Amino acid sequence: SAFTQLPYVMDEDAGVYEDVPLEEFTYDDADRMYYYQCPCGDMFEISYEQLAAGENIAHCPSCSLKVRVMKSSEVELTMAAESVAVSAEYSNLPKNGAAAEEPLMLHINAFTERHFSGNPAAVCLLREPAKAGWMQAVARDMNLSETCFVTPSRDKQIRQEEPTGGPLATQKEGMGVIIWRYELRWFTPSVEVDLCGHGTLAAAHALFAEKSEEAGGRCERIEFETRSGQLVARRLPSGAIELDFPSSPPQPIEFVVAKPSSAPASLTELAQALGCPEQLINWVGASYDLLVELSDAAAVRVASPNLTAIAAWGNFRGIIITARAESEKPYDVVSRFFGPRIGINEDPVTGSAHCTLAPHWSAVLSKTRFSAHQASARGGNLEVELVDDRVFLRGHAITSLRGHLLASPNVDASLK
């Protein structure tokens, strides 16, 4: 052997538990990390970048133990899964003969616990960043309101720290919280968007389902780096997922024609575009969406807006219509979302719209926590809580399809 085998002893000075050949580590191509079982039950870990830079000490995030990685002259570091012994238990590499470069693709229904309801999203788990043109082409093919692309963060991906988080974040006495970091991008069939609630929920559900073995099933928090900054997803004891989003309070709108066709010029024009009587409009405000509160929940449910007119209002991503729910319903508010300007005529369940609904309804209802129903044909439910300038959205998701995308990121070099 090219390795110098040392006794299985503790090096008290360096805290090194033993010396381990690189071949005994498990390499995960998705997060570019090498793993080796620690006596405490967690995993020693060291990244490809650390090894390439000449570092050779792998740390366990759960205890103070370390191991020294021994690399022979015959071993050449590589990102390819073929160069190392990959354990299926700690890897999300394609199985059943799929090529290593074929990304894992899932179809997930968000804000529901039932198949064929909620808001569907496609989630693509990538190993390395892909070109925007390729991602947009995939989103067009998926033809869902959102296709999400998840890539391991360049920062350290798995770590452990003291419990923190939202109002319902899991607190485990005496234990830290396993945290993952990923980059997340969202595409409609026509454009990339800055924020998507149901896509974030679907991405978190996919990662909790596909990657939990790597943390011994103990991961409770994911930090996503996005165009809207860092977004946090937490797994709750109930099985629901909590999303931590920025609040986007709506401001009252004045019907002034600043730019032709950029916004409705009058309450009458707005009512005509919505297809509802003008007297049913209680209040109108705007953030990145136009928010219209109606006095009747039934009017929200039956609304059939003029999508061409709405698409011409270039000041807004889309339009939210909302009302108090009927007294017999098990939720507080009802809403619908229309976004023809971004390629979504009606979105089944729009998490990001509740970043605007939360501050609005918290003020109207005089409570910071309420339940919401989006009254699309598919329908979906979520719990909403406003805490200072953050909105916590809680909901479930369910996977309906799992496979591999044969059109890998390298399939068409002409896509930029």
Side-chain angles (χ1 to χ4, degrees):
S1 169
F3 294 99
T4 302
Q5 299 295 339
L6 298 182
Y8 189 76
V9 297
M10 171 73 80
D11 181 338
E12 295 290 344
D13 294 330
V16 175
Y17 187 70
E18 64 175 336
D19 287 11
V20 181
L22 181 62
E23 279 92 333
E24 294 188 18
F25 277 72
T26 294
Y27 178 64
D28 189 328
D29 187 39
D31 57 20
R32 301 150 64 99
M33 297 288 291
Y34 290 84
Y35 296 99
Y36 180 74
Q37 187 75 48
C38 178
C40 77
D42 206 337
M43 306 292 289
F44 293 106
E45 58 183 54
I46 188 168
S47 71
Y48 165 84
E49 286 79 10
Q50 288 174 298
L51 288 170
E55 299 180 36
N56 68 338
I57 300 297
H59 298 259
C60 175
S62 297
C63 67
S64 60
L65 293 182
K66 311 170 188 175
V67 292
R68 183 181 293 109
V69 184
M70 305 297 291
K71 184 168 77 77
S72 72
S73 58
E74 291 87 2
V75 176
E76 180 180 353
L77 288 175
T78 176
M79 294 300 179
E82 299 82 18
S83 66
V84 292
V86 179
S87 165
E89 182 178 2
Y90 297 103
S91 170
N92 74 340
L93 293 177
K95 302 175 179 64
N96 300 324
E101 68 272 12
E102 294 171 6
L104 183 63
M105 178 70 79
L106 302 101
H107 184 289
I108 294 170
N109 294 325
F111 294 115
T112 184
E113 296 181 79
R114 299 182 295 109
H115 290 297
F116 313 118
S117 63
N119 201 350
V123 178
C124 183
L125 301 183
L126 296 168
R127 293 167 181 79
E128 295 181 352
K131 295 179 180 178
W134 178 85
M135 291 188 282
Q136 188 64 73
V138 172
R140 281 196 300 270
D141 264 11
M142 295 299 103
N143 199 30
L144 296 172
S145 59
E146 221 70 51
T147 298
C148 317
F149 297 88
V150 181
T151 311
S153 172
R154 294 297 183 185
D155 296 328
K156 192 169 185 290
Q157 188 190 359
I158 303 177
R159 71 180 191 274
Q160 187 164 352
E161 62 183 38
E162 291 305 309
T164 59
L168 297 186
T170 304
Q171 304 291 319
K172 291 189 176 180
E173 186 177 354
M175 289 186 62
V177 177
I178 300 293
I179 297 172
W180 290 325
R181 298 195 73 188
Y182 284 86
E183 296 174 3
L184 174 62
R185 297 173 72 173
W186 310 277
F187 288 78
T188 75
S190 57
V191 297
E192 182 175 8
V193 296
D194 293 335
L195 184 65
C196 177
H198 88 277
T200 307
L201 180 64
H205 172 81
L207 290 170
F208 283 135
E210 297 294 327
K211 303 280 287 180
S212 60
E213 286 183 344
E214 293 179 15
R218 294 188 292 115
C219 181
E220 298 166 5
R221 171 169 161 166
I222 301 170
E223 295 175 352
F224 290 115
E225 299 299 327
T226 77
R227 287 171 60 161
S228 292
Q230 185 181 94
L231 304 177
V232 176
R234 301 178 184 89
R235 179 162 49 183
L236 304 179
S238 65
I241 294 173
E242 176 186 84
L243 305 178
D244 179 351
F245 275 21
S247 174
S248 181
Q251 301 301 317
I253 191 171
E254 296 182 5
F255 292 99
V256 177
V257 184
K259 295 180 180 179
S261 301
S262 64
S266 67
L267 199 63
T268 300
E269 180 184 333
L270 176 61
Q272 290 174 345
L274 295 180
C276 74
E278 186 174 329
Q279 60 268 25
L280 290 183
I281 299 178
N282 273 354
W283 189 86
V284 183
S287 57
Y288 44 76
D289 295 320
L290 184 65
L291 174 67
V292 182
E293 181 194 332
L294 303 183
S295 60
D296 184 5
V300 172
R301 299 179 191 277
V302 302
S304 181
N306 182 331
L307 298 177
T308 302
I310 292 174
W313 297 340
N315 281 1
F316 314 108
R317 178 186 68 162
I319 184 169
I320 309 164
I321 57 174
T322 184
R324 288 179 187 250
E326 299 88 343
S327 58
E328 70 274 12
K329 297 296 184 182
Y331 40 81
D332 299 300
V333 302
V334 62
S335 69
R336 291 171 70 188
F337 178 87
F338 304 91
R341 195 172 70 85
I342 58 172
I344 305 170
N345 286 344
E346 179 171 8
D347 199 29
V349 191
T350 316
S352 59
H354 290 78
C355 295
T356 298
L357 288 166
H360 174 74
W361 281 113
S362 291
V364 173
L365 300 173
S366 299
K367 59 181 182 179
T368 58
R369 183 173 172 179
F370 60 90
S371 55
H373 174 72
Q374 194 152 330
S376 63
R378 292 174 64 93
N381 301 296
L382 58 163
E383 186 178 280
V384 183
E385 185 168 5
L386 179 67
V387 180
D388 298 325
D389 62 348
R390 306 299 296 182
V391 174
F392 293 90
L393 307 177
R394 305 182 187 105
H396 291 80
I398 186 170
T399 301
S400 60
L401 184 66
R402 182 184 188 278
H404 292 94
L405 188 63
L406 299 183
S408 76
N410 298 320
V411 73
D412 187 352
S414 67
L415 295 172
K416 304 300 183 185

